[in-house]
Amino acid sequence: VKSQYFTNTRYNIWLGVIGGLGLLLKTLFPLYIIVPAIVSLLRRLERSDDWQQLVRDVGLMVILAYSIASVWYLGNLTTVVGFLFSRSIGGAAKDYGLGPVFSLRTVAAYWQQVVNLAFGVYPVALLVVAGMGAFVTRHAANFPTWRQARSSLGLLCGWLLFPLLVATFSANKEVRFILPALPAFAAITAWLTYQALSWHKIVGWRAFTATLVMLVPFYAYLHTSFDVLPPNRLAVGSLVVLGRPLGNAGPPAAEVWPHERIVEWLSEHLARGRTASTRVLILASTPYFNSDTLNYYGEKSRAPLSFLGTYLAVSDNFPEAVTQLVALADYLLIKDGGDQGDFFLVRH
């Protein structure tokens, strides 16, 4: 809207960034952008009531974004829509549920996961403390003032709170769907922390306090990403402040699964000229060894391969479950040992 028909370089770059994030977020993109977009459009109308110009500006942006996204989405629209409904209200969503959607116990359990795994206990506590500090010192603070920051804070809150509200009362409780809200959460926390400290005139005191505030997240960063510190664990009841399993990233693995070699082996043993997709069932799918990664290499090599992941739990009907799963595939892919253990290919 502000790019003035793509003549403003600054807003052209921001438009490209937003469009790129939209492609990365896929079907989640509207959830995070709809409130900021509505707020921006309303502010545009406050400055100018030219509806026709607004429709032309927005239409041009939508056409440009659609032309880029349609390269992939046009041919996969049915799959994408089916996946969206399955993951949001269908059978797949129930597999990631925590109980009745509107139950207070379910909501509490979900928010415990959000605090522990998405935002982190320490950042949430910092947000609360910094918010109270910024409110108390709002008259003594010099820059930026609350009135000056109201516009940006409104956009950030819309980016953060609306997706959280939708996720709280959705059937699928996968906490990773909240990760696109982390930049907004970080920006709000940073602004409130700065506002709470800006009333003090001594710059050295503010720098010292900011350094203390950063010690815990810096420790967690070193602990999670580089494994250079002892595996300490700090928890307050069910809220975990520090802990290795909380990280969405980890130190590089010494060994990796031979995904590409598996695909190459299968490609070499397939019948020449085969056009039908060969189904390969993975009996032990893990974060480091899964169907998504194998399907990527299969698509890259243009081999007629389709990898299916599954989780098997030992139960009374375990043999029958295995028999049913085996009937779905041409090959079974089985791993043994740890995350980087052996693998076995069995032709069905």
Side-chain angles (χ1 to χ4, degrees):
V1 173
K2 288 187 176 182
S3 66
Q4 301 174 359
Y5 290 100
F6 310 107
T7 59
N8 189 315
T9 303
R10 174 187 176 188
Y11 289 106
N12 285 344
I13 294 174
W14 279 113
L15 182 60
V17 170
I18 293 174
L21 289 175
L23 292 176
L24 289 175
L25 295 180
K26 301 182 178 67
T27 54
L28 289 176
F29 183 57
L31 187 64
Y32 288 92
I33 200 175
I34 185 168
V35 173
I38 292 175
V39 172
S40 299
L41 293 176
L42 291 176
R43 289 175 182 168
R44 164 73 178 269
L45 289 175
E46 289 178 358
R47 296 190 299 268
S48 172
D49 58 356
D50 189 350
W51 278 90
Q52 294 181 350
Q53 182 66 38
L54 179 62
V55 171
R56 286 196 297 268
D57 291 345
V58 175
L60 182 60
M61 181 184 67
V62 171
I63 291 173
L64 178 63
Y66 177 78
S67 63
I68 297 174
S70 63
V71 174
W72 185 86
Y73 277 97
L74 196 60
N76 297 276
L77 185 61
T78 303
T79 303
V80 171
V81 173
F83 182 81
L84 173 62
F85 279 95
S86 177
R87 286 285 183 173
S88 57
I89 59 177
K94 297 178 182 179
D95 295 337
Y96 296 95
L98 297 175
V101 173
F102 296 101
S103 167
L104 292 178
R105 180 174 297 180
T106 301
V107 172
Y110 174 69
W111 271 91
Q112 179 181 321
Q113 287 191 3
V114 170
V115 172
N116 274 335
L117 301 177
F119 298 142
V121 175
Y122 182 79
V124 170
L126 178 60
L127 174 68
V128 173
V129 174
M132 293 188 295
F135 180 79
V136 171
T137 62
R138 66 189 186 281
H139 297 299
N142 44 34
F143 178 83
T145 64
W146 287 83
R147 185 178 299 275
Q148 290 171 323
R150 184 175 59 183
S151 175
S152 298
L153 283 176
L155 291 176
L156 291 172
C157 288
W159 179 357
L160 173 66
L161 298 179
F162 180 71
L164 281 174
L165 178 64
V166 173
T168 299
F169 297 103
S170 65
N172 193 326
K173 299 299 185 184
E174 277 195 278
V175 73
R176 63 187 177 92
F177 291 150
I178 295 299
L179 296 182
L182 287 179
F185 176 85
I188 294 172
T189 304
W191 184 87
L192 290 174
T193 303
Y194 176 84
Q195 189 76 4
L197 297 177
S198 62
W199 65 273
H200 205 284
K201 304 300 181 183
I202 303 177
V203 177
W205 183 88
R206 297 203 300 262
F208 175 74
T209 306
T211 302
L212 290 179
V213 167
M214 291 299 297
L215 285 179
V216 172
F218 185 65
Y219 180 95
Y221 170 70
L222 293 177
H223 179 46
T224 300
S225 298
F226 299 101
D227 200 21
V228 296
L229 297 173
N232 296 325
R233 187 178 188 275
L234 176 62
V236 181
S238 60
L239 301 177
V240 183
V241 180
L242 286 174
R244 181 65 180 276
L246 297 181
N248 290 299
E255 300 177 15
V256 296
W257 280 98
H259 296 95
E260 195 165 11
R261 185 156 58 90
I262 293 173
V263 172
E264 291 175 354
W265 187 92
L266 282 167
S267 300
E268 293 173 358
H269 287 75
L270 292 179
R272 293 184 179 274
R274 181 186 176 98
T275 57
S277 179
T278 298
R279 294 166 299 179
V280 183
L281 182 65
I282 306 171
L283 290 185
S285 184
T286 71
Y288 298 101
F289 185 70
N290 53 70
S291 58
D292 292 333
T293 307
L294 287 163
N295 277 318
Y296 165 77
Y297 283 108
E299 187 67 23
K300 183 180 177 182
S301 66
R302 299 184 180 276
L305 295 170
S306 176
F307 292 90
L308 309 172
T310 184
Y311 297 89
L312 286 177
V314 178
S315 60
D316 294 337
N317 62 344
F318 183 76
E320 291 79 3
V322 172
T323 302
Q324 294 175 2
L325 289 173
V326 166
L328 299 174
D330 302 300
Y331 286 85
L332 300 180
L333 183 54
I334 309 168
K335 79 177 186 68
D336 187 34
D339 285 335
Q340 281 78 36
D342 297 326
F343 73 91
F344 307 93
L345 275 167
V346 181
R347 185 164 187 172
H348 175 46

